[in-house]
Amino acid sequence: MNRIGVLTSGGDAPGMNTAIRAVVRSADARGAETWAFEDGYTGLIEGRGRVISPRDVGDILHRGGTVLRTARCPEMRTPSGLTAALSSLEESAVEGLIVIGGDGSMRGAHALAGEGVAVVGIPASIDNDIWGTKMSLGVDSALNTIMEAIDKLRDTASSHKRAFLIETMGAGSGFLAGMAGVICGAELVVTPDTDVTVEEIGRIVARAHQRGKHHCFVIVAEGADLDVEGIAGHLRSSGIGFESRVTKLGHVQRGGSPSAFDRMLASRMGIEATNALLDGHSDVMTGLDGWNVALADLGEACSRVKRAGMEYVTMASLLSR
């Protein structure tokens, strides 16, 4: 291939810029030019792209977000959107495409592959809900952000003897909440797979106070069918011994400089994806298998759902004693 394309799509994740850098420079090392589409699939459909050189990606590996910008593109799920994307690739003389993004982005890549486009995906999503990889880009950075925030909340929680209801991102996977519960010492973790009532949460928090604890954290994934404000209200009216407060970490979890782990993973996946594309592979994505970066089938990745294991919820409960 003389020219490959790259785009970032869906929700941004720390490590996307590092992956872009790796794609551009590894392609250049093999004599291929990189064409960058802006604003994800929207930019692809509208034909908004440009040549991006190894010098253009200097000084970006430590930056959060994505220099190519990103967007969610419902039009990509329509026949007309897919046709427009195919025309744009042809007009741009792009012979293969690397897509960096989450589960919806991988489905878009799989759809393009079904139309004969050579496509390789790089999973980037703080939700860690993409099947075929142990970790997606951005997960470790988001966990570090959550950890730093909760460590700071612990200071005020202990000072005022408070129970904090902390809502994390993560959509339906609950992975961030589960892992955060272990590394931050939560009394309880509530994920979409956790079967717990508001009353049970109240009893768990009350028992923490009875054991002599000076603070208590309950971490709730945003995809769980429980309202943190409602839980806090129940705790206030139950006389459990703790004051209750709510903190929704929100989109701060997406931002910031990628961690050392994410920079390394993004660099490895960027090189692997580029080499796979230039070596003739298509309809695959890079994935972390143990410590190895390997290729996973995109069709299978798009047809399966990855959910956080309940072992993290169990671990958090065990360690909270």
Side-chain angles (χ1 to χ4, degrees), residues 24-321:
V24 172
R25 292 188 172 177
S26 57
D28 181 74
R30 292 192 55 175
E33 186 178 61
T34 302
W35 187 270
F37 292 99
E38 299 175 342
D39 301 311
Y41 285 120
T42 300
L44 171 61
I45 288 172
E46 296 176 357
R48 289 188 283 106
R50 55 187 170 87
V51 171
I52 185 170
S53 73
R55 294 282 61 78
D56 293 330
V57 294
D59 200 34
I60 70 167
L61 94 156
H62 65 288
R63 293 169 57 183
T66 163
V67 294
L68 298 182
R69 299 186 305 276
T70 184
R72 304 190 189 278
C73 183
E75 190 180 355
M76 191 62 190
R77 297 194 292 266
T78 67
S80 61
L82 188 58
T83 299
L86 295 171
S87 298
S88 176
L89 289 169
E90 185 176 359
E91 291 171 4
S92 303
V94 170
E95 301 166 81
L97 181 66
I98 293 177
V99 174
I100 306 169
D103 56 341
S105 303
M106 295 302 104
R107 286 194 293 271
H110 180 54
L112 286 170
E115 297 295 326
V117 179
V119 184
V120 176
I122 297 178
S125 169
I126 67 167
D127 296 351
N128 205 38
D129 57 351
I130 304 173
W131 188 91
T133 182
K134 294 294 184 183
M135 291 279 277
S136 296
L137 299 187
V139 176
D140 185 70
S141 300
L143 279 171
N144 276 278
T145 297
I146 293 169
M147 180 181 68
E148 291 171 8
I150 294 180
D151 283 350
K152 292 176 180 178
L153 287 173
R154 181 177 286 106
D155 295 338
T156 190
S158 296
S159 298
H160 293 272
K161 210 166 188 180
R162 287 174 177 166
F164 269 82
L165 285 299
I166 301 166
E167 184 180 271
T168 64
M169 297 181 78
S173 71
F175 182 88
L176 287 180
M179 290 289 283
V182 175
I183 64 178
C184 297
E187 200 70 24
L188 175 67
V189 176
V190 182
T191 74
D193 298 318
T194 307
D195 185 18
V196 63
T197 66
V198 174
E199 291 72 24
E200 288 172 322
I201 293 173
R203 288 192 289 270
I204 290 169
V205 174
R207 286 197 293 269
H209 183 268
Q210 292 162 7
R211 293 199 301 272
K213 291 197 170 186
H214 295 292
H215 68 267
C216 178
F217 293 135
V218 176
I219 300 179
V220 182
E222 64 177 348
D225 189 24
L226 285 173
D227 172 35
V228 288
E229 296 289 353
I231 299 171
H234 175 77
L235 296 180
R236 293 188 191 104
S237 64
S238 299
I240 59 170
F242 287 120
E243 291 183 57
S244 60
R245 295 289 187 274
V246 172
T247 297
K248 296 184 179 183
L249 297 179
H251 285 80
V252 69
Q253 295 162 89
R254 287 196 185 279
S257 182
S259 65
F261 180 89
D262 273 328
R263 295 185 198 191
M264 179 61 75
L265 184 60
S267 297
R268 295 175 69 198
M269 284 189 170
I271 293 171
E272 180 67 23
T274 304
N275 285 336
L277 190 63
L278 295 176
D279 289 342
H281 293 279
S282 182
D283 205 15
V284 294
M285 73 171 200
T286 57
L288 187 63
D289 181 11
W291 185 239
N292 297 319
V293 173
L295 298 178
D297 182 80
L298 257 183
E300 189 171 6
C302 293
S303 64
R304 300 183 64 171
V305 177
K306 176 184 175 183
R307 305 186 74 90
M310 289 298 290
E311 67 269 22
Y312 301 119
V313 177
T314 303
M315 286 174 63
S317 177
L318 173 68
L319 297 174
S320 69
R321 298 173 183 273

